[in-house]
Amino acid sequence: MNTPKPVPSRPYAWVSTIAIVWGGELFSVLTSSIVQMGLIWHIAAQGGSAGTITLASMAGFLPLALIGPFAGVIVDRHPITATLIGSDLFIAAISLVVAMAALLGHAPVWLIMASLFLRAIGSSLHTPAFNALTPMVAPAEQLGRLSGIAQCVQSLGYIAGYAMAAVLYPIFGLGVMALIDVVGALVASLAVWMTRLTTYVRPVSTTATDSEGLSVAVGRMLSETRDGFRVLRADSGLFALLICGFAFSLVISPVSALFPVMCLDHFNSGTSGAATAEVAFSAGMLVSSLVIGATGGFRRRVVSVELATVTYGVATLIAGSAAPSMFPAFLASAVVMGFSSPLYSAPQIALIQERIAPEYLGRVFGLYGSLMAWALPLGTAVSSLFVDSVGATVWFMGSGVAILALAVTMVLIPSIRAIDDGDRHA
């Protein structure tokens, strides 16, 4: 079913709406990055082992992986603005509890673990709602450009947040960092509230009612999740592309995790070299996001995805082939890998926004987020079984070959080749 967008009271009113919401989002991503690093460093400062820190990382991803599809049902049932504000305020409440505990001098590891898990629940609602909001406000022809700008906003927030966290934690500690995050969530909520947006809400008759029992409500939620999957599966090109996207993420996640190993063990560049490589990758991402935001990217989304896959594969292969004396070549490869990432992910998000009807966007983005969230632990787990025996350089080269093979596979799938020619929901 096609649902018209709210009619703006003046031309280009959507620009100011997007600017206000994304301005709040930039501030929220910045403060969330600050406290996220603070939480991990606090665990390390409390004597947490590598296993404990790994568990903390798992706590931050499990909600998105496990409840992402069901969170999408909630997004589709309720006004997106209410979901965005509600999830931000929920995260703010968690940060406030952590701040109070830290300022009182009692923030045990179990509390930090619980806060990471609960914050991730809030994010599992916020992320699909945020992605579903844009196509309900902006014209379809602007979605590619806006997807690039969104990635730029997030990249800026992450880069600046991590840098600020390194300064704030030694001076002020976790308590102040958590309070900053409370302010960030409140700013983001205020930004959404200021827009007074009216977005699509499914008819009440299709949602659960208060009179239904728990089993009926759960059954209805499962049924609505399946509806979202059926809508996604019905678009053969988009479905195939997302499966390929999962395979792509599965391969590149261990590569990203092995950056420090390559820098420290193969190139002997020390921790400064490892930090430089991460900055190089982030810089590539930021430049790519800016280019997509400025130009809208390739007119045919599939060209962008294919180019990104080939480029990432070649760069990974070169990085693994570089001799210990060729650290600059590794840094150049890191820039190219970073540049390729938005070229791949931004068109994927734009295609979902263009091709999925508004009443299913939350569920489809929930499924998409859950699928991609599983790629990180699965890819890292597989690599951990073999990387010690084959070495990081061989793993890099093998990953490069695998990515190039994936690029060939995508070319051979007719529905992916024709994805830009298919009908859109509106």
Side-chain angles (χ1 to χ4, degrees), residues 354-392:
E354 290 172 352
R355 299 174 69 88
I356 300 299
E359 58 265 36
Y360 293 102
L361 273 174
R363 279 166 285 181
V364 170
F365 271 119
L367 288 164
Y368 170 76
S370 179
L371 184 66
M372 297 307 160
W374 280 113
L376 174 61
L378 291 177
T380 304
V382 171
S383 68
S384 66
L385 298 175
F386 303 103
V387 71
D388 287 336
S389 58
V390 302

PDB file of all heavy atoms in Angstrom, residues 354-392:
ATOM      1  N   GLU A 354      13.721   3.261  -0.807  1.00  0.00           N
ATOM      2  CA  GLU A 354      12.991   3.512  -2.050  1.00  0.00           C
ATOM      3  C   GLU A 354      12.006   2.406  -2.394  1.00  0.00           C
ATOM      4  O   GLU A 354      10.930   2.667  -2.942  1.00  0.00           O
ATOM      5  CB  GLU A 354      13.991   3.661  -3.204  1.00  0.00           C
ATOM      6  CG  GLU A 354      14.823   4.933  -3.158  1.00  0.00           C
ATOM      7  CD  GLU A 354      15.927   4.931  -4.209  1.00  0.00           C
ATOM      8  OE1 GLU A 354      16.131   3.882  -4.864  1.00  0.00           O
ATOM      9  OE2 GLU A 354      16.590   5.965  -4.366  1.00  0.00           O
ATOM     10  N   ARG A 355      12.358   1.169  -2.075  1.00  0.00           N
ATOM     11  CA  ARG A 355      11.622   0.032  -2.616  1.00  0.00           C
ATOM     12  C   ARG A 355      10.634  -0.604  -1.635  1.00  0.00           C
ATOM     13  O   ARG A 355       9.792  -1.408  -2.035  1.00  0.00           O
ATOM     14  CB  ARG A 355      12.612  -1.039  -3.102  1.00  0.00           C
ATOM     15  CG  ARG A 355      13.526  -0.542  -4.215  1.00  0.00           C
ATOM     16  CD  ARG A 355      14.574  -1.580  -4.569  1.00  0.00           C
ATOM     17  NE  ARG A 355      13.983  -2.744  -5.221  1.00  0.00           N
ATOM     18  CZ  ARG A 355      13.785  -2.838  -6.539  1.00  0.00           C
ATOM     19  NH1 ARG A 355      14.122  -1.839  -7.332  1.00  0.00           N
ATOM     20  NH2 ARG A 355      13.268  -3.932  -7.058  1.00  0.00           N
ATOM     21  N   ILE A 356      10.751  -0.274  -0.354  1.00  0.00           N
ATOM     22  CA  ILE A 356       9.857  -0.866   0.646  1.00  0.00           C
ATOM     23  C   ILE A 356       8.803   0.154   1.056  1.00  0.00           C
ATOM     24  O   ILE A 356       9.113   1.313   1.336  1.00  0.00           O
ATOM     25  CB  ILE A 356      10.653  -1.330   1.883  1.00  0.00           C
ATOM     26  CG1 ILE A 356      11.700  -2.376   1.482  1.00  0.00           C
ATOM     27  CG2 ILE A 356       9.721  -1.899   2.936  1.00  0.00           C
ATOM     28  CD1 ILE A 356      11.128  -3.646   0.876  1.00  0.00           C
ATOM     29  N   ALA A 357       7.549  -0.282   1.093  1.00  0.00           N
ATOM     30  CA  ALA A 357       6.445   0.611   1.469  1.00  0.00           C
ATOM     31  C   ALA A 357       6.605   1.077   2.914  1.00  0.00           C
ATOM     32  O   ALA A 357       7.146   0.347   3.756  1.00  0.00           O
ATOM     33  CB  ALA A 357       5.115  -0.118   1.296  1.00  0.00           C
ATOM     34  N   PRO A 358       6.142   2.292   3.238  1.00  0.00           N
ATOM     35  CA  PRO A 358       6.364   2.863   4.572  1.00  0.00           C
ATOM     36  C   PRO A 358       5.895   1.977   5.718  1.00  0.00           C
ATOM     37  O   PRO A 358       6.539   1.938   6.772  1.00  0.00           O
ATOM     38  CB  PRO A 358       5.557   4.176   4.522  1.00  0.00           C
ATOM     39  CG  PRO A 358       5.505   4.527   3.085  1.00  0.00           C
ATOM     40  CD  PRO A 358       5.448   3.239   2.339  1.00  0.00           C
ATOM     41  N   GLU A 359       4.770   1.263   5.528  1.00  0.00           N
ATOM     42  CA  GLU A 359       4.226   0.461   6.628  1.00  0.00           C
ATOM     43  C   GLU A 359       5.080  -0.750   6.975  1.00  0.00           C
ATOM     44  O   GLU A 359       4.839  -1.416   7.993  1.00  0.00           O
ATOM     45  CB  GLU A 359       2.797   0.017   6.315  1.00  0.00           C
ATOM     46  CG  GLU A 359       2.650  -0.796   5.037  1.00  0.00           C
ATOM     47  CD  GLU A 359       2.273   0.042   3.840  1.00  0.00           C
ATOM     48  OE1 GLU A 359       2.747   1.204   3.748  1.00  0.00           O
ATOM     49  OE2 GLU A 359       1.491  -0.447   2.996  1.00  0.00           O
ATOM     50  N   TYR A 360       6.098  -1.046   6.151  1.00  0.00           N
ATOM     51  CA  TYR A 360       6.974  -2.184   6.418  1.00  0.00           C
ATOM     52  C   TYR A 360       8.423  -1.766   6.678  1.00  0.00           C
ATOM     53  O   TYR A 360       9.270  -2.622   6.939  1.00  0.00           O
ATOM     54  CB  TYR A 360       6.957  -3.160   5.232  1.00  0.00           C
ATOM     55  CG  TYR A 360       5.630  -3.845   5.032  1.00  0.00           C
ATOM     56  CD1 TYR A 360       4.757  -3.428   4.032  1.00  0.00           C
ATOM     57  CD2 TYR A 360       5.241  -4.908   5.841  1.00  0.00           C
ATOM     58  CE1 TYR A 360       3.536  -4.053   3.838  1.00  0.00           C
ATOM     59  CE2 TYR A 360       4.022  -5.542   5.658  1.00  0.00           C
ATOM     60  CZ  TYR A 360       3.178  -5.108   4.656  1.00  0.00           C
ATOM     61  OH  TYR A 360       1.958  -5.726   4.473  1.00  0.00           O
ATOM     62  N   LEU A 361       8.718  -0.482   6.608  1.00  0.00           N
ATOM     63  CA  LEU A 361      10.105  -0.032   6.697  1.00  0.00           C
ATOM     64  C   LEU A 361      10.761  -0.411   8.022  1.00  0.00           C
ATOM     65  O   LEU A 361      11.919  -0.837   8.055  1.00  0.00           O
ATOM     66  CB  LEU A 361      10.181   1.481   6.499  1.00  0.00           C
ATOM     67  CG  LEU A 361      10.288   1.969   5.050  1.00  0.00           C
ATOM     68  CD1 LEU A 361      10.201   3.486   4.991  1.00  0.00           C
ATOM     69  CD2 LEU A 361      11.585   1.488   4.411  1.00  0.00           C
ATOM     70  N   GLY A 362      10.041  -0.245   9.124  1.00  0.00           N
ATOM     71  CA  GLY A 362      10.615  -0.576  10.429  1.00  0.00           C
ATOM     72  C   GLY A 362      11.021  -2.030  10.516  1.00  0.00           C
ATOM     73  O   GLY A 362      12.126  -2.365  10.962  1.00  0.00           O
ATOM     74  N   ARG A 363      10.121  -2.921  10.072  1.00  0.00           N
ATOM     75  CA  ARG A 363      10.423  -4.345  10.141  1.00  0.00           C
ATOM     76  C   ARG A 363      11.568  -4.728   9.217  1.00  0.00           C
ATOM     77  O   ARG A 363      12.440  -5.528   9.587  1.00  0.00           O
ATOM     78  CB  ARG A 363       9.168  -5.151   9.798  1.00  0.00           C
ATOM     79  CG  ARG A 363       8.204  -5.285  10.970  1.00  0.00           C
ATOM     80  CD  ARG A 363       6.841  -5.779  10.528  1.00  0.00           C
ATOM     81  NE  ARG A 363       6.077  -4.707   9.863  1.00  0.00           N
ATOM     82  CZ  ARG A 363       4.848  -4.864   9.391  1.00  0.00           C
ATOM     83  NH1 ARG A 363       4.258  -6.043   9.496  1.00  0.00           N
ATOM     84  NH2 ARG A 363       4.216  -3.859   8.839  1.00  0.00           N
ATOM     85  N   VAL A 364      11.591  -4.175   8.021  1.00  0.00           N
ATOM     86  CA  VAL A 364      12.665  -4.520   7.084  1.00  0.00           C
ATOM     87  C   VAL A 364      14.007  -3.992   7.594  1.00  0.00           C
ATOM     88  O   VAL A 364      15.025  -4.688   7.540  1.00  0.00           O
ATOM     89  CB  VAL A 364      12.342  -3.977   5.675  1.00  0.00           C
ATOM     90  CG1 VAL A 364      13.562  -4.120   4.757  1.00  0.00           C
ATOM     91  CG2 VAL A 364      11.152  -4.723   5.089  1.00  0.00           C
ATOM     92  N   PHE A 365      14.029  -2.773   8.114  1.00  0.00           N
ATOM     93  CA  PHE A 365      15.284  -2.256   8.661  1.00  0.00           C
ATOM     94  C   PHE A 365      15.688  -3.023   9.923  1.00  0.00           C
ATOM     95  O   PHE A 365      16.884  -3.190  10.204  1.00  0.00           O
ATOM     96  CB  PHE A 365      15.166  -0.764   8.961  1.00  0.00           C
ATOM     97  CG  PHE A 365      15.541   0.100   7.796  1.00  0.00           C
ATOM     98  CD1 PHE A 365      14.615   0.969   7.235  1.00  0.00           C
ATOM     99  CD2 PHE A 365      16.809   0.048   7.243  1.00  0.00           C
ATOM    100  CE1 PHE A 365      14.943   1.773   6.149  1.00  0.00           C
ATOM    101  CE2 PHE A 365      17.146   0.848   6.157  1.00  0.00           C
ATOM    102  CZ  PHE A 365      16.220   1.703   5.613  1.00  0.00           C
ATOM    103  N   GLY A 366      14.709  -3.496  10.694  1.00  0.00           N
ATOM    104  CA  GLY A 366      15.025  -4.331  11.841  1.00  0.00           C
ATOM    105  C   GLY A 366      15.679  -5.638  11.419  1.00  0.00           C
ATOM    106  O   GLY A 366      16.670  -6.082  12.005  1.00  0.00           O
ATOM    107  N   LEU A 367      15.119  -6.266  10.385  1.00  0.00           N
ATOM    108  CA  LEU A 367      15.706  -7.495   9.848  1.00  0.00           C
ATOM    109  C   LEU A 367      17.106  -7.230   9.290  1.00  0.00           C
ATOM    110  O   LEU A 367      18.036  -8.020   9.509  1.00  0.00           O
ATOM    111  CB  LEU A 367      14.804  -8.068   8.757  1.00  0.00           C
ATOM    112  CG  LEU A 367      13.486  -8.698   9.223  1.00  0.00           C
ATOM    113  CD1 LEU A 367      12.529  -8.865   8.043  1.00  0.00           C
ATOM    114  CD2 LEU A 367      13.752 -10.043   9.895  1.00  0.00           C
ATOM    115  N   TYR A 368      17.241  -6.134   8.561  1.00  0.00           N
ATOM    116  CA  TYR A 368      18.538  -5.767   7.979  1.00  0.00           C
ATOM    117  C   TYR A 368      19.586  -5.558   9.077  1.00  0.00           C
ATOM    118  O   TYR A 368      20.701  -6.085   9.000  1.00  0.00           O
ATOM    119  CB  TYR A 368      18.360  -4.494   7.153  1.00  0.00           C
ATOM    120  CG  TYR A 368      19.642  -3.845   6.677  1.00  0.00           C
ATOM    121  CD1 TYR A 368      20.353  -4.380   5.612  1.00  0.00           C
ATOM    122  CD2 TYR A 368      20.136  -2.698   7.289  1.00  0.00           C
ATOM    123  CE1 TYR A 368      21.532  -3.791   5.165  1.00  0.00           C
ATOM    124  CE2 TYR A 368      21.303  -2.103   6.854  1.00  0.00           C
ATOM    125  CZ  TYR A 368      21.990  -2.645   5.793  1.00  0.00           C
ATOM    126  OH  TYR A 368      23.162  -2.053   5.364  1.00  0.00           O
ATOM    127  N   GLY A 369      19.222  -4.808  10.109  1.00  0.00           N
ATOM    128  CA  GLY A 369      20.157  -4.554  11.204  1.00  0.00           C
ATOM    129  C   GLY A 369      20.543  -5.822  11.942  1.00  0.00           C
ATOM    130  O   GLY A 369      21.706  -6.017  12.313  1.00  0.00           O
ATOM    131  N   SER A 370      19.561  -6.707  12.150  1.00  0.00           N
ATOM    132  CA  SER A 370      19.838  -7.969  12.827  1.00  0.00           C
ATOM    133  C   SER A 370      20.785  -8.833  12.005  1.00  0.00           C
ATOM    134  O   SER A 370      21.737  -9.427  12.530  1.00  0.00           O
ATOM    135  CB  SER A 370      18.527  -8.714  13.081  1.00  0.00           C
ATOM    136  OG  SER A 370      18.764  -9.959  13.714  1.00  0.00           O
ATOM    137  N   LEU A 371      20.530  -8.907  10.706  1.00  0.00           N
ATOM    138  CA  LEU A 371      21.377  -9.713   9.821  1.00  0.00           C
ATOM    139  C   LEU A 371      22.815  -9.211   9.840  1.00  0.00           C
ATOM    140  O   LEU A 371      23.769  -9.998   9.976  1.00  0.00           O
ATOM    141  CB  LEU A 371      20.812  -9.660   8.402  1.00  0.00           C
ATOM    142  CG  LEU A 371      21.507 -10.521   7.338  1.00  0.00           C
ATOM    143  CD1 LEU A 371      21.319 -11.993   7.643  1.00  0.00           C
ATOM    144  CD2 LEU A 371      20.961 -10.194   5.942  1.00  0.00           C
ATOM    145  N   MET A 372      22.998  -7.898   9.720  1.00  0.00           N
ATOM    146  CA  MET A 372      24.348  -7.342   9.693  1.00  0.00           C
ATOM    147  C   MET A 372      25.027  -7.451  11.066  1.00  0.00           C
ATOM    148  O   MET A 372      26.251  -7.592  11.152  1.00  0.00           O
ATOM    149  CB  MET A 372      24.315  -5.878   9.241  1.00  0.00           C
ATOM    150  CG  MET A 372      23.806  -5.701   7.819  1.00  0.00           C
ATOM    151  SD  MET A 372      24.703  -6.716   6.625  1.00  0.00           S
ATOM    152  CE  MET A 372      23.539  -6.754   5.261  1.00  0.00           C
ATOM    153  N   ALA A 373      24.241  -7.411  12.137  1.00  0.00           N
ATOM    154  CA  ALA A 373      24.830  -7.517  13.477  1.00  0.00           C
ATOM    155  C   ALA A 373      25.447  -8.891  13.716  1.00  0.00           C
ATOM    156  O   ALA A 373      26.454  -9.018  14.422  1.00  0.00           O
ATOM    157  CB  ALA A 373      23.767  -7.238  14.539  1.00  0.00           C
ATOM    158  N   TRP A 374      24.858  -9.923  13.100  1.00  0.00           N
ATOM    159  CA  TRP A 374      25.405 -11.271  13.269  1.00  0.00           C
ATOM    160  C   TRP A 374      26.712 -11.459  12.515  1.00  0.00           C
ATOM    161  O   TRP A 374      27.508 -12.360  12.848  1.00  0.00           O
ATOM    162  CB  TRP A 374      24.398 -12.325  12.799  1.00  0.00           C
ATOM    163  CG  TRP A 374      23.328 -12.629  13.800  1.00  0.00           C
ATOM    164  CD1 TRP A 374      21.999 -12.359  13.713  1.00  0.00           C
ATOM    165  CD2 TRP A 374      23.511 -13.264  15.067  1.00  0.00           C
ATOM    166  NE1 TRP A 374      21.334 -12.780  14.850  1.00  0.00           N
ATOM    167  CE2 TRP A 374      22.241 -13.342  15.685  1.00  0.00           C
ATOM    168  CE3 TRP A 374      24.629 -13.775  15.750  1.00  0.00           C
ATOM    169  CZ2 TRP A 374      22.055 -13.911  16.955  1.00  0.00           C
ATOM    170  CZ3 TRP A 374      24.450 -14.334  17.010  1.00  0.00           C
ATOM    171  CH2 TRP A 374      23.173 -14.402  17.595  1.00  0.00           C
ATOM    172  N   ALA A 375      26.975 -10.639  11.498  1.00  0.00           N
ATOM    173  CA  ALA A 375      28.172 -10.821  10.685  1.00  0.00           C
ATOM    174  C   ALA A 375      29.453 -10.619  11.501  1.00  0.00           C
ATOM    175  O   ALA A 375      30.436 -11.338  11.308  1.00  0.00           O
ATOM    176  CB  ALA A 375      28.152  -9.853   9.495  1.00  0.00           C
ATOM    177  N   LEU A 376      29.455  -9.644  12.423  1.00  0.00           N
ATOM    178  CA  LEU A 376      30.667  -9.340  13.184  1.00  0.00           C
ATOM    179  C   LEU A 376      31.110 -10.511  14.056  1.00  0.00           C
ATOM    180  O   LEU A 376      32.255 -10.978  13.921  1.00  0.00           O
ATOM    181  CB  LEU A 376      30.456  -8.075  14.020  1.00  0.00           C
ATOM    182  CG  LEU A 376      31.594  -7.711  14.985  1.00  0.00           C
ATOM    183  CD1 LEU A 376      32.873  -7.460  14.206  1.00  0.00           C
ATOM    184  CD2 LEU A 376      31.223  -6.486  15.815  1.00  0.00           C
ATOM    185  N   PRO A 377      30.266 -11.048  14.948  1.00  0.00           N
ATOM    186  CA  PRO A 377      30.744 -12.150  15.794  1.00  0.00           C
ATOM    187  C   PRO A 377      31.017 -13.430  15.019  1.00  0.00           C
ATOM    188  O   PRO A 377      31.963 -14.156  15.332  1.00  0.00           O
ATOM    189  CB  PRO A 377      29.604 -12.337  16.803  1.00  0.00           C
ATOM    190  CG  PRO A 377      28.396 -11.820  16.125  1.00  0.00           C
ATOM    191  CD  PRO A 377      28.881 -10.675  15.280  1.00  0.00           C
ATOM    192  N   LEU A 378      30.185 -13.708  14.008  1.00  0.00           N
ATOM    193  CA  LEU A 378      30.402 -14.936  13.234  1.00  0.00           C
ATOM    194  C   LEU A 378      31.708 -14.869  12.451  1.00  0.00           C
ATOM    195  O   LEU A 378      32.497 -15.820  12.446  1.00  0.00           O
ATOM    196  CB  LEU A 378      29.225 -15.161  12.283  1.00  0.00           C
ATOM    197  CG  LEU A 378      27.890 -15.536  12.930  1.00  0.00           C
ATOM    198  CD1 LEU A 378      26.798 -15.647  11.875  1.00  0.00           C
ATOM    199  CD2 LEU A 378      28.014 -16.854  13.701  1.00  0.00           C
ATOM    200  N   GLY A 379      31.950 -13.736  11.782  1.00  0.00           N
ATOM    201  CA  GLY A 379      33.185 -13.587  11.029  1.00  0.00           C
ATOM    202  C   GLY A 379      34.412 -13.620  11.918  1.00  0.00           C
ATOM    203  O   GLY A 379      35.417 -14.267  11.600  1.00  0.00           O
ATOM    204  N   THR A 380      34.323 -12.937  13.073  1.00  0.00           N
ATOM    205  CA  THR A 380      35.450 -12.918  13.999  1.00  0.00           C
ATOM    206  C   THR A 380      35.701 -14.297  14.583  1.00  0.00           C
ATOM    207  O   THR A 380      36.854 -14.717  14.760  1.00  0.00           O
ATOM    208  CB  THR A 380      35.184 -11.894  15.123  1.00  0.00           C
ATOM    209  OG1 THR A 380      34.916 -10.616  14.543  1.00  0.00           O
ATOM    210  CG2 THR A 380      36.378 -11.787  16.049  1.00  0.00           C
ATOM    211  N   ALA A 381      34.617 -15.023  14.890  1.00  0.00           N
ATOM    212  CA  ALA A 381      34.768 -16.369  15.457  1.00  0.00           C
ATOM    213  C   ALA A 381      35.454 -17.313  14.473  1.00  0.00           C
ATOM    214  O   ALA A 381      36.345 -18.081  14.838  1.00  0.00           O
ATOM    215  CB  ALA A 381      33.398 -16.927  15.846  1.00  0.00           C
ATOM    216  N   VAL A 382      35.046 -17.247  13.201  1.00  0.00           N
ATOM    217  CA  VAL A 382      35.663 -18.103  12.183  1.00  0.00           C
ATOM    218  C   VAL A 382      37.142 -17.758  12.010  1.00  0.00           C
ATOM    219  O   VAL A 382      38.006 -18.646  11.947  1.00  0.00           O
ATOM    220  CB  VAL A 382      34.911 -17.974  10.835  1.00  0.00           C
ATOM    221  CG1 VAL A 382      35.678 -18.687   9.729  1.00  0.00           C
ATOM    222  CG2 VAL A 382      33.504 -18.539  10.956  1.00  0.00           C
ATOM    223  N   SER A 383      37.444 -16.471  11.957  1.00  0.00           N
ATOM    224  CA  SER A 383      38.842 -16.070  11.747  1.00  0.00           C
ATOM    225  C   SER A 383      39.722 -16.483  12.925  1.00  0.00           C
ATOM    226  O   SER A 383      40.892 -16.840  12.735  1.00  0.00           O
ATOM    227  CB  SER A 383      38.931 -14.556  11.533  1.00  0.00           C
ATOM    228  OG  SER A 383      38.600 -13.852  12.710  1.00  0.00           O
ATOM    229  N   SER A 384      39.167 -16.447  14.137  1.00  0.00           N
ATOM    230  CA  SER A 384      39.960 -16.792  15.315  1.00  0.00           C
ATOM    231  C   SER A 384      40.416 -18.251  15.297  1.00  0.00           C
ATOM    232  O   SER A 384      41.414 -18.610  15.937  1.00  0.00           O
ATOM    233  CB  SER A 384      39.162 -16.516  16.588  1.00  0.00           C
ATOM    234  OG  SER A 384      38.037 -17.378  16.677  1.00  0.00           O
ATOM    235  N   LEU A 385      39.687 -19.098  14.558  1.00  0.00           N
ATOM    236  CA  LEU A 385      40.040 -20.515  14.486  1.00  0.00           C
ATOM    237  C   LEU A 385      41.240 -20.764  13.577  1.00  0.00           C
ATOM    238  O   LEU A 385      41.943 -21.761  13.728  1.00  0.00           O
ATOM    239  CB  LEU A 385      38.848 -21.334  13.982  1.00  0.00           C
ATOM    240  CG  LEU A 385      37.580 -21.318  14.840  1.00  0.00           C
ATOM    241  CD1 LEU A 385      36.464 -22.083  14.142  1.00  0.00           C
ATOM    242  CD2 LEU A 385      37.867 -21.913  16.218  1.00  0.00           C
ATOM    243  N   PHE A 386      41.476 -19.850  12.625  1.00  0.00           N
ATOM    244  CA  PHE A 386      42.494 -20.110  11.605  1.00  0.00           C
ATOM    245  C   PHE A 386      43.607 -19.072  11.532  1.00  0.00           C
ATOM    246  O   PHE A 386      44.692 -19.372  11.041  1.00  0.00           O
ATOM    247  CB  PHE A 386      41.830 -20.199  10.220  1.00  0.00           C
ATOM    248  CG  PHE A 386      40.760 -21.244  10.125  1.00  0.00           C
ATOM    249  CD1 PHE A 386      39.422 -20.882  10.161  1.00  0.00           C
ATOM    250  CD2 PHE A 386      41.098 -22.582  10.017  1.00  0.00           C
ATOM    251  CE1 PHE A 386      38.426 -21.846  10.083  1.00  0.00           C
ATOM    252  CE2 PHE A 386      40.116 -23.555   9.938  1.00  0.00           C
ATOM    253  CZ  PHE A 386      38.782 -23.202   9.967  1.00  0.00           C
ATOM    254  N   VAL A 387      43.343 -17.856  11.995  1.00  0.00           N
ATOM    255  CA  VAL A 387      44.299 -16.776  11.734  1.00  0.00           C
ATOM    256  C   VAL A 387      45.634 -17.020  12.423  1.00  0.00           C
ATOM    257  O   VAL A 387      46.693 -16.643  11.893  1.00  0.00           O
ATOM    258  CB  VAL A 387      43.693 -15.412  12.154  1.00  0.00           C
ATOM    259  CG1 VAL A 387      43.589 -15.294  13.672  1.00  0.00           C
ATOM    260  CG2 VAL A 387      44.517 -14.270  11.568  1.00  0.00           C
ATOM    261  N   ASP A 388      45.631 -17.653  13.586  1.00  0.00           N
ATOM    262  CA  ASP A 388      46.899 -17.902  14.274  1.00  0.00           C
ATOM    263  C   ASP A 388      47.780 -18.879  13.496  1.00  0.00           C
ATOM    264  O   ASP A 388      49.009 -18.785  13.531  1.00  0.00           O
ATOM    265  CB  ASP A 388      46.641 -18.452  15.684  1.00  0.00           C
ATOM    266  CG  ASP A 388      46.120 -17.379  16.624  1.00  0.00           C
ATOM    267  OD1 ASP A 388      46.382 -16.190  16.353  1.00  0.00           O
ATOM    268  OD2 ASP A 388      45.450 -17.722  17.612  1.00  0.00           O
ATOM    269  N   SER A 389      47.163 -19.818  12.806  1.00  0.00           N
ATOM    270  CA  SER A 389      47.939 -20.815  12.069  1.00  0.00           C
ATOM    271  C   SER A 389      48.378 -20.317  10.691  1.00  0.00           C
ATOM    272  O   SER A 389      49.466 -20.639  10.222  1.00  0.00           O
ATOM    273  CB  SER A 389      47.135 -22.115  11.918  1.00  0.00           C
ATOM    274  OG  SER A 389      45.905 -21.868  11.264  1.00  0.00           O
ATOM    275  N   VAL A 390      47.537 -19.512  10.027  1.00  0.00           N
ATOM    276  CA  VAL A 390      47.884 -19.055   8.675  1.00  0.00           C
ATOM    277  C   VAL A 390      48.536 -17.676   8.671  1.00  0.00           C
ATOM    278  O   VAL A 390      49.226 -17.313   7.712  1.00  0.00           O
ATOM    279  CB  VAL A 390      46.636 -19.038   7.760  1.00  0.00           C
ATOM    280  CG1 VAL A 390      46.000 -20.400   7.694  1.00  0.00           C
ATOM    281  CG2 VAL A 390      45.616 -17.985   8.210  1.00  0.00           C
ATOM    282  N   GLY A 391      48.305 -16.885   9.704  1.00  0.00           N
ATOM    283  CA  GLY A 391      48.878 -15.550   9.773  1.00  0.00           C
ATOM    284  C   GLY A 391      47.934 -14.481   9.242  1.00  0.00           C
ATOM    285  O   GLY A 391      47.091 -14.746   8.381  1.00  0.00           O
ATOM    286  N   ALA A 392      48.077 -13.265   9.759  1.00  0.00           N
ATOM    287  CA  ALA A 392      47.185 -12.167   9.384  1.00  0.00           C
ATOM    288  C   ALA A 392      47.332 -11.785   7.920  1.00  0.00           C
ATOM    289  O   ALA A 392      46.350 -11.459   7.249  1.00  0.00           O
ATOM    290  CB  ALA A 392      47.436 -10.952  10.282  1.00  0.00           C
TER     291      ALA A 392
END
